[in-house]
Every structure is written in structure tokens, then in C-alpha cells.
Amino acid sequence: MIGAVENAVPSCTTVDLLRHGHCAGGDIFRGCGSDSSLTEKGWQQMSDALAGLSGWHQIVTSPLQRCRSFAAASAHTLNIPLKEDNHWREIDFGCWEGEPVEAVWGRCPEQVAAYFNNPDQSTPHGGECLAAFQQRVQQGWRRLLGDYRNQHILLVQHGGTMRLLLTLLFNRPIAAMSRLVVPYGCLMRLKVWHLPNRDYVFLLPHKKGE
């Protein structure tokens, strides 16, 4: 399929998705209200993910420092533009924000289980509902493709935004997003082939040196 698309049209946008690395503060509900910094290990995870890769025209990043700090340093080193985009901030966990995951599970296991099994039907008190989160990420994706069409972009973001974006792009049930494994420093490549009637998105492995 991908070969047929490549032969049909040369217009393509490449987007590398990079999740931030390990953060200070332990295993907490780390959403947009928890502006944790990267640990030394987290910085190294992100550096290792990008080692041997190049060719980006632009870096786009979440404004939260666990993404922005590494993105800014990389943009400076590579001498390419950097843009902060609030669409790519992590979801807001509301009353769970910043709390240890184990403690919240122990206090309200049924609510946490419902949140992960049916995220479109359960939201922590004061948190961002999935419909709003989905709308925000979709708007960010459309803006990215509109602003940087036919370019190669590095998008530095969060586990939640990456899982939701992949779920939406590949038409999976929304509950499936909690079962996608996106570890710290995870790097994925999307190629978006622009045909006259629609875009075709492919998830590809990285090859060092590209």
C-alpha cells in the first residue's frame, strides 16, 4: 500500500513524535498542572532516542518544561526553529494532579479503573474531559500539517497526547489508547502522504542516519 501511495504523489510531511524522558517527582499523575523537570536519566533517554538522526526543519514542543527544555536545547544545537504549541500539553488530571498513582488507586480504585477503561465516560473532578482533550489534539495536528506541509518536523510531547493522536489517526476505539505503550523517550515516525482527496498516514520504524 505505501509503495502505491509513494508512486502516486511526491507530497509528504514527516513527523517524528518524541515523548519526554523520566521526570523528577516519582510515579504521579503528571498532567498539564505538574510542570516537572527532567532528571538526568530522562535527558539521556531523549538524547539516545535522537542519536544519529537529523534532517528536521522545525521543532514543535509542548510548553511544559519536561518537553520544552530538551526541545530548546536541541533547536539551539541543530540551529533550527523552535515553536511552543499549547495544543500538545498533557491532559489535566484535575483532583488527581500531582498525586502518587499508587495512592489514588488505593483511595478510589473503581474510579481510576473506569477512567482507564472508558476515558470518554469518566473524568477526575476538575480535570479535562476526553472530548476537550481530543478536540485540542486534533486541532494541533491540523495546524501542524497546515503550517509545515511537506517538511520534516520533530514534535516533542507527552505520553497522553501521543497515545490519543495514534488512536485517532488509525481509527482505533478510544478505550484502546490506555493500552498503547509509550515509554519515556519513545520515538515514532509518521509519514503523511497528501493525495488530492485525502491524507494517508503511515507509522514507520526509524533508521539511524536518516
Side-chain angles (χ1 to χ4, degrees):
M1 175 63 179
I2 188 170
V5 172
E6 287 177 327
N7 292 331
V9 60
S11 179
C12 177
T13 302
T14 302
V15 183
D16 291 337
L17 313 177
L18 176 64
R19 187 190 177 190
H20 64 77
H22 182 267
C23 297
D27 188 15
I28 62 174
F29 279 95
R30 185 177 286 105
C32 67
S34 302
D35 200 8
S36 304
S37 60
L38 290 170
T39 61
E40 184 177 346
K41 176 182 177 181
W43 194 281
Q44 191 62 52
Q45 288 170 328
M46 299 176 79
S47 297
D48 290 345
L50 298 187
L53 299 174
S54 61
W56 300 288
H57 299 102
Q58 172 85 38
I59 299 177
V60 177
T61 181
S62 160
L64 297 175
Q65 65 171 324
R66 55 191 181 270
C67 297
R68 186 190 67 245
S69 58
F70 181 85
S74 298
H76 178 75
T77 299
L78 297 168
N79 193 29
I80 56 176
L82 173 71
K83 180 179 180 181
E84 293 183 20
D85 188 339
N86 204 40
H87 288 93
W88 300 106
R89 70 188 188 277
E90 185 58 285
I91 195 169
D92 185 346
F93 288 112
C95 63
W96 298 347
E97 190 72 51
E99 289 203 58
V101 173
E102 185 176 355
V104 178
W105 267 106
R107 188 171 68 247
C108 45
E110 292 183 358
Q111 186 179 357
V112 177
Y115 181 70
F116 285 108
N117 291 330
N118 298 289
D120 55 334
Q121 300 177 30
S122 179
T123 304
H125 179 72
E128 183 178 19
C129 71
L130 188 68
F133 186 39
Q134 178 175 329
Q135 182 180 43
R136 170 161 63 82
V137 169
Q138 288 174 320
Q139 288 173 343
W141 181 247
R142 288 194 294 268
R143 173 179 289 185
L144 190 82
L145 294 185
D147 290 349
Y148 307 112
R149 188 180 179 91
N150 299 329
Q151 296 185 43
H152 186 180
I153 306 303
L154 177 62
L155 177 56
V156 185
Q157 54 176 310
H158 305 270
T161 56
M162 284 179 68
R163 285 190 290 267
L164 179 59
L165 179 63
L166 293 171
T167 298
L168 295 173
L169 289 178
F170 296 105
N171 298 314
R172 307 310 301 163
I174 203 66
M177 64 178 287
S178 63
R179 295 192 291 274
L180 291 177
V181 179
V182 181
Y184 287 133
C186 180
L187 183 67
M188 301 180 181
R189 172 165 293 178
L190 297 173
K191 279 192 173 289
V192 185
W193 294 94
H194 305 292
L195 272 69
N197 60 335
R198 62 167 293 185
D199 289 340
Y200 287 87
V201 184
F202 294 89
L203 180 63
L204 301 178
H206 275 274
K207 297 179 181 179
K208 292 298 183 182
E210 289 188 351

